[in-house]
Amino acid sequence: MKRIKSILLTITVCLGYFILGRFIYFCTEYDTVYISYTCYKPQVPYNHERVDRVLKNGDVNSYIEIVDSIKSDSYQPYPTYLYYSLVMADEYNYAPAFYDVYAALTDKNGVDSLDGETKELAMRYLKAAVERGDGRAVKEFQKIRQHSMEKLK
């Protein structure tokens, strides 16, 4: 009986390793080191000169190129422009970056899908974008306000 349990356990472990091994990749390239279900290596954003111009100098044109390239890449597993948006918003006070932080946090699921702390953070950046006159933020804020008013009815 012990021998059968031992054999079954060995088979289960081997099958599990085989099955998971097909879906989990270990990525260890220059800018990408982590485990995920798909290997992710941003193509356009890791133009190091462009990234340096954003991070060190707050270069708006480079920021726009990075964000646009990430948004247009359908293989991005999540909005990886969040980091760049946070830097541009917090360090360089670039108004559109405040909305981009909100957009990256809410992604495709909207603000209602977020946990309390993340929702508060997203709303703080959205309000900051509205205060700085970002048109996208104003429209989104009005939409959220209208949606919350409809919920109250």
Side-chain angles (χ1 to χ4, degrees):
M1 189 63 150
K2 272 187 169 181
R3 185 169 168 85
I4 292 174
K5 284 182 181 179
S6 168
I7 291 172
L8 286 175
L9 181 63
T10 304
I11 291 172
T12 304
V13 169
C14 289
L15 281 174
Y17 180 75
F18 175 75
I19 291 169
L20 287 177
R22 295 180 57 150
F23 295 108
I24 297 178
Y25 302 95
F26 294 88
C27 300
T28 56
E29 296 190 24
Y30 178 65
D31 290 314
T32 313
V33 179
Y34 59 89
I35 301 170
S36 72
Y37 288 103
T38 57
C39 276
Y40 160 69
K41 184 171 191 299
Q43 299 299 317
V44 180
Y46 281 102
N47 174 328
H48 292 287
E49 294 167 6
R50 189 180 302 155
V51 170
D52 284 345
R53 287 193 305 260
V54 169
L55 299 179
K56 294 178 182 174
N57 304 324
D59 183 59
V60 172
N61 291 329
S62 294
Y63 170 74
I64 291 170
E65 290 174 15
I66 289 172
V67 171
D68 287 347
S69 67
I70 291 172
K71 286 180 178 179
S72 67
D73 187 354
S74 62
Y75 295 106
Q76 299 288 342
Y78 57 91
T80 55
Y81 59 90
L82 175 62
Y83 175 71
Y84 304 107
S85 299
L86 284 167
V87 169
M88 288 299 290
D90 293 338
E91 295 292 321
Y92 301 104
N93 204 25
Y94 179 55
F98 285 89
Y99 178 78
D100 289 338
V101 170
Y102 167 81
L105 289 171
T106 58
D107 196 20
K108 297 172 185 149
N109 299 319
V111 73
D112 291 332
S113 67
L114 302 174
D115 64 271
E117 291 179 16
T118 308
K119 184 176 184 177
E120 183 181 325
L121 181 67
M123 291 306 294
R124 189 171 356 132
Y125 276 94
L126 179 63
K127 287 176 186 174
V130 169
E131 290 169 359
R132 287 162 177 77
D134 187 278
R136 301 171 300 167
V138 171
K139 287 179 186 176
E140 183 68 20
F141 193 74
Q142 289 171 343
K143 189 170 86 174
I144 291 171
R145 179 178 259 166
Q146 182 179 14
H147 181 67
S148 64
M149 295 297 278
E150 290 173 0
K151 282 175 113 176
L152 294 173
K153 290 181 182 181

